[in-house]
Amino acid sequence: MNNFTYSQATGIDNAVNEITGHEKSMFIAGGTNLIDLMKENVLHPDHLIDINGLHLTSIEFLDDGRLFLGALVTNADTAWHPEVEKKYPLLAEAILAGASPQLRNMATNGGNLMQRTRCYYFYDTSTPCNKRTPGSGCSAINGYNRIHAILGTSQHCIAVHPSDMCVALRAINAVVQVKGKAGERLIPIEHFHRLPAYTPQIDNNLAHDELITGIILPREHFNTHYKYLKVRDRASYAFALVSVAVVLRLKEGVIDEIRIALGGVAHKPWRDEGVENWLKDKPATDENFAEAADMILQEAKTFGANDFKPALAKRAIVRACREALNREI
Ligand SMILES: Cc1cc2nc3c(=O)[nH]c(=O)nc-3n(C[C@H](O)[C@H](O)[C@H](O)COP(=O)(O)OP(=O)(O)OC[C@H]3O[C@@H](n4cnc5c(N)ncnc54)[C@H](O)[C@@H]3O)c2cc1C
Ligand code: SF4
């Protein structure tokens, strides 16, 4: 058993002060990922800072019309919030595709951004894993890698980020608001999560002393043509093998704007803006979506048990784009 101490943060500054300088302390929100990792002996914080008492539980419009989602709003309350359902239905659809009702009632928006990979070897402390123990090796590359990445991998890690919510946030161009010892800053979602490269133990660009205070959704919203498609081994309560978040806008019968974000294929939600630009002003046909999918996936690399993923991802992209196009409002 690993001993740890526990305190309840009394305010945002207090939470930041508590974590600053204590390398092995961690924030705890819903606990749905962190407690599992502690029980599995993967993480050993020596101090937990409970942030559930902080006033980060609101969803409200900012003066400029953007929507602020507090870090401690549960995934369930976010998905069922009337303004999210009305203006950002892609986000609601993605959140509701994840986990189970009970988990979504506990899981928070901040915790969802920070959840760790579901790589089997990361959880199995009897096996080498560079993310858990840097320098020990990657068991997945030559092991069982059915759920693993095909894009942006490195020779040190081929894990994927497991979140559904974050894939939709990537399509929406959300921004993560954080506060640390040096003050407040905003991190665009595309720069929040990292690729593994040489440091797979670092999932994201949040500093240890920084607290996520909220997520900001841009004013611009897509609530007519959108789709979150999740392909998984079971119909519910399973992580994505491949997921696709699509938003699209048409003008005079051709694509005016399209965004395609992929989950289950990389260490971070994946987008290729070059391909999205290629689709602009083209007819919204299956043929064009398929050609775009080929371009997105042209650098895909597989590792054996996940050889099926590029073909699956291509079909999922085409189907998600088609369903976004044909959605009846
Ligand atoms: C069985 C199961 C199935 C699941 N299925 C899915 C799924 O299909 N799709 C999906 O997307 N997710 C799924 N999840 C994951 C779930 O969404 C996450 O566990 C949850 O979102 C984490 O939120 P939490 O508040 O419980 O975080 P916690 O477990 O409390 O914390 C997780 C991490 O986030 C950090 N943290 C939390 N809040 C903050 C903050 N405000 N600032 C800085 N750091 C913070 C903690 O220090 C910790 O490192 C599943 C989980 C389980 C257990
Ligand atoms: S893929 Fe990443 S998380 Fe999985 S064993 Fe390899 S290093 Fe560890």
Side-chain angles (χ1 to χ4, degrees):
M1 167 165 166
N2 295 296
N3 288 324
F4 61 89
T5 50
Y6 169 88
S7 64
Q8 290 175 322
T10 53
I12 293 173
D13 290 341
N14 171 255
V16 170
N17 285 338
E18 278 265 311
I19 205 156
T20 303
H22 298 102
E23 219 26 70
K24 291 193 75 185
S25 58
M26 293 182 79
F27 296 128
I28 182 160
T32 61
N33 191 212
L34 180 53
I35 297 293
D36 278 357
L37 289 164
M38 290 171 69
K39 287 195 288 195
E40 298 284 346
N41 215 15
V42 176
L43 293 181
H44 317 101
D46 62 10
H47 182 59
L48 288 187
I49 304 158
D50 186 340
I51 56 174
N52 284 289
L54 303 184
H55 299 297
L56 297 171
T57 51
S58 66
I59 294 185
E60 59 200 358
F61 282 107
L62 304 176
D63 290 344
D64 59 9
R66 295 179 298 161
L67 191 64
F68 175 83
L69 313 175
L72 287 166
V73 182
T74 65
N75 282 176
D77 285 346
T78 303
W80 295 114
H81 192 278
E83 293 298 339
V84 175
E85 283 187 309
K86 190 165 83 186
K87 293 198 162 154
Y88 308 93
L90 176 79
L91 179 60
E93 196 164 71
I95 292 174
L96 295 176
S100 65
Q102 291 90 338
L103 281 160
R104 294 193 296 266
N105 283 337
M106 287 301 294
T108 63
N109 292 333
N112 196 312
L113 284 161
M114 296 293 288
Q115 64 174 295
R116 307 300 305 271
T117 184
R118 292 282 156 173
C119 171
Y120 329 107
Y121 303 102
F122 178 66
Y123 281 78
D124 180 353
T125 55
S126 67
T127 60
C129 168
N130 286 325
K131 188 180 280 296
R132 182 172 20 82
T133 312
S136 62
C138 172
S139 299
I141 289 177
N142 296 311
Y144 187 57
N145 43 46
R146 174 173 167 73
I147 61 171
H148 287 75
I150 54 173
L151 291 166
T153 55
S154 83
Q155 59 185 335
H156 304 288
C157 181
I158 59 170
V160 302
H161 192 269
S163 168
D164 294 295
M165 182 186 92
C166 296
V167 184
L169 292 178
R170 183 76 180 87
I172 291 171
N173 282 342
V175 172
V176 183
Q177 179 181 283
V178 310
K179 181 147 193 209
K181 208 60 190 159
E184 194 169 270
R185 68 181 176 122
L186 298 172
I187 310 174
I189 187 76
E190 64 176 299
H191 301 307
F192 188 82
H193 298 105
R194 297 160 56 111
L195 291 178
Y198 292 93
T199 52
Q201 70 276 19
I202 308 174
D203 289 348
N204 55 60
N205 289 314
L206 192 76
H208 179 67
D209 71 7
E210 286 180 319
L211 173 78
I212 299 169
T213 50
I215 299 169
I216 299 173
L217 306 182
R219 253 174 66 152
E220 180 192 27
H221 52 269
F222 296 81
N223 56 2
T224 49
H225 297 294
Y226 65 90
K227 177 70 190 175
Y228 186 74
L229 176 69
K230 179 173 180 178
V231 185
R232 49 190 153 175
D233 280 330
R234 283 190 307 265
S236 78
Y237 202 44
F239 290 90
L241 287 169
V242 169
S243 69
V244 188
V246 178
V247 289
L248 105 95
R249 186 176 289 128
L250 297 169
K251 194 169 159 193
E252 293 163 11
V254 296
I255 296 169
D256 185 40
E257 181 168 6
I258 187 165
R259 300 183 193 162
I260 305 169
L262 304 183
V265 298
H267 204 255
K268 60 188 286 186
W270 191 266
R271 246 179 93 182
D272 187 331
E273 277 92 342
V275 175
E276 294 170 8
N277 289 336
W278 177 85
L279 278 168
K280 186 172 163 53
D281 297 327
K282 292 201 168 50
T285 60
D286 274 11
E287 292 69 30
N288 282 332
F289 295 143
E291 205 171 332
D294 283 337
M295 287 192 266
I296 292 170
L297 296 162
Q298 67 183 344
E299 304 281 324
K301 183 169 180 225
T302 62
F303 298 89
N306 69 353
D307 287 350
F308 67 95
K309 274 201 180 186
L312 180 66
K314 178 177 177 178
R315 287 198 299 274
I317 291 169
V318 175
R319 185 173 139 198
C321 291
R322 189 194 309 133
E323 290 188 16
L325 180 70
N326 295 333
R327 183 178 282 274
E328 294 197 3
I329 307 136

